[in-house]
């Protein structure tokens, strides 16, 4: 627990008792208020009862799949969902993210990496709770003003094409979250273009040259190989 009192409330939906105990011990030691459910139905009930800030869900649950849990949660739950799963195929990751998960961590995992993902989720919770959704997004030397449709780097205006701006804005609005190729193509180009991932490669390359100090080693527009892209504001 930190000096300011309890941190975020975390609900873990995990049927492996050893992993559940490990998470309970580790997260409690770092000040998180933790609740555990051993199957999907109990997890959904706990989510409705506890109203957690973050849900961590395994995909391989004994009653219903973790994907169904994500789908049903996203009917009303607006905060972070992190998948923790032994499934490491790209199709599993893309499927979970497309259904509404915010992050995906593969077992076996290090507690340091999980804590880092939780800190990201907490920062975005605070921003979403306290900030105007149209407020400026500041990430290092980059400023994105969604209301004014204006982008600046090092205080100078960055001139973007309409599609470049829509792509950057889509990523920035979901900062910290991995957006799949399908999600980005649908949001920026429309559902008719979901099978055109080369559009993303072309426009991401152009965007990086305009907003990154070193396009070859981007700090803001990050690639999640085989899955999609993520805007990092840290």
């Amino acid at each position: 627990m930190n000096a300011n009192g309890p941190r975020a409330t975390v609900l873990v939906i995990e049927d492996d008792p050893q992993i559940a105990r490990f998470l309970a011990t580790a997260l409690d030691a770092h000040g998180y208020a933790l609740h555990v459910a051993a199957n999907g139905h109990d997890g959904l009930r706990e989510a409705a009862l506890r109203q957690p800030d973050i849900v961590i869900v395994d995909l391989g649950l004994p009653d219903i799949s973790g994907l169904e849990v994500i789908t049903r949660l996203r009917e009303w739950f607006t905060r972070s969902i992190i998948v923790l799963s032994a499934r490491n195929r790209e199709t599993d990751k893309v499927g979970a993210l497309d259904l509404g998960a915010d992050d995906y961590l593969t077992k076996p995992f290090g507690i340091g990496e999980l804590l880092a993902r939780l800190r990201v989720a907490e920062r975005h919770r605070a921003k979403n709770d306290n900030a105007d959704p149209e407020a400026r997004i500041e990430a290092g030397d980059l400023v994105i003003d969604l209301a004014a449709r204006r982008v600046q780097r090092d205080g100078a205006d960055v001139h973007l094409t309409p599609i470049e701006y829509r792509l950057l804005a889509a990523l920035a609005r979901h900062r910290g979250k991995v957006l799949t190729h399908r999600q980005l193509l649908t949001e920026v180009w429309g559902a008719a273009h979901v099978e055109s991932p080369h559009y993303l490669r072309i426009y991401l390359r152009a965007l990086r040259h305009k907003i990154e100090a070193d396009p070859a080693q981007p700090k803001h527009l990050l690639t999640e190989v085989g899955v999609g892209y993520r805007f990092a504001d840290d």
Side-chain angles (χ1 to χ4, degrees):
M1 186 174 298
N2 64 22
N4 297 320
R7 297 179 70 185
T9 299
V10 180
L11 170 62
V12 175
I13 307 174
E14 169 62 67
D15 66 315
D16 186 321
Q18 289 184 323
I19 293 178
R21 282 195 297 270
F22 169 70
L23 289 172
T25 300
L27 297 186
D28 180 69
H30 286 84
Y32 289 93
L34 189 72
H35 304 283
V36 178
N39 60 60
H41 286 117
D42 286 349
L44 291 168
R45 282 193 291 269
E46 284 290 297
L49 175 66
R50 307 290 184 179
Q51 296 290 311
D53 299 301
I54 302 167
V55 172
I56 298 174
V57 59
D58 186 13
L59 294 186
L61 297 171
D63 51 352
I64 57 175
S65 75
L67 294 178
E68 184 174 346
V69 171
I70 294 169
T71 300
R72 290 168 63 175
L73 279 175
R74 279 299 180 229
E75 293 175 358
W76 61 273
F77 186 75
T78 60
R79 291 187 168 175
S80 294
I81 299 175
I82 299 175
V83 171
L84 190 62
S85 178
R87 303 178 189 176
N88 59 8
R89 296 178 304 174
E90 289 178 0
T91 53
D92 293 319
K93 296 178 182 179
V94 170
L97 293 165
D98 273 342
L99 288 174
D102 297 285
D103 208 343
Y104 195 110
L105 197 58
T106 303
K107 300 175 183 176
F109 60 94
I111 193 63
E113 183 177 7
L114 176 60
L115 290 170
R117 306 293 180 99
L118 289 172
R119 288 194 294 271
V120 169
E122 286 185 272
R123 286 195 293 271
H124 295 144
R125 171 176 66 100
K127 289 176 183 177
N128 290 335
D129 286 351
N130 299 324
D132 182 335
E134 295 300 319
R136 293 168 17 133
I137 296 168
E138 298 186 14
D141 61 354
L142 187 66
V143 176
I144 304 169
D145 189 330
L146 295 175
R149 298 178 62 87
R150 185 181 186 187
V151 179
Q152 292 181 307
R153 179 171 165 245
D154 284 330
D157 286 339
V158 178
H159 298 288
L160 303 178
T161 68
I163 289 180
E164 288 171 349
Y165 176 80
R166 289 204 301 273
L167 180 56
L168 179 61
L171 287 161
R173 280 195 299 270
H174 301 283
R175 52 197 180 278
K177 176 179 178 179
V178 180
L179 293 182
T180 65
H181 299 127
R182 179 178 291 271
Q183 287 171 320
L184 283 168
L185 287 163
T186 300
E187 186 162 343
V188 178
W189 283 276
H193 297 280
V194 294
E195 303 300 331
S196 305
H198 59 284
Y199 287 4
L200 288 172
R201 291 192 296 271
I202 293 168
Y203 281 94
L204 257 296
R205 187 181 306 119
L207 265 178
R208 283 174 174 151
H209 277 88
K210 291 184 178 182
I211 71 169
E212 299 281 4
D214 182 357
Q217 295 183 316
K219 293 183 178 180
H220 303 305
L221 301 176
L222 306 183
T223 300
E224 299 287 343
V225 178
V227 179
Y229 298 93
R230 174 167 56 88
F231 182 87
D233 58 354
D234 305 309

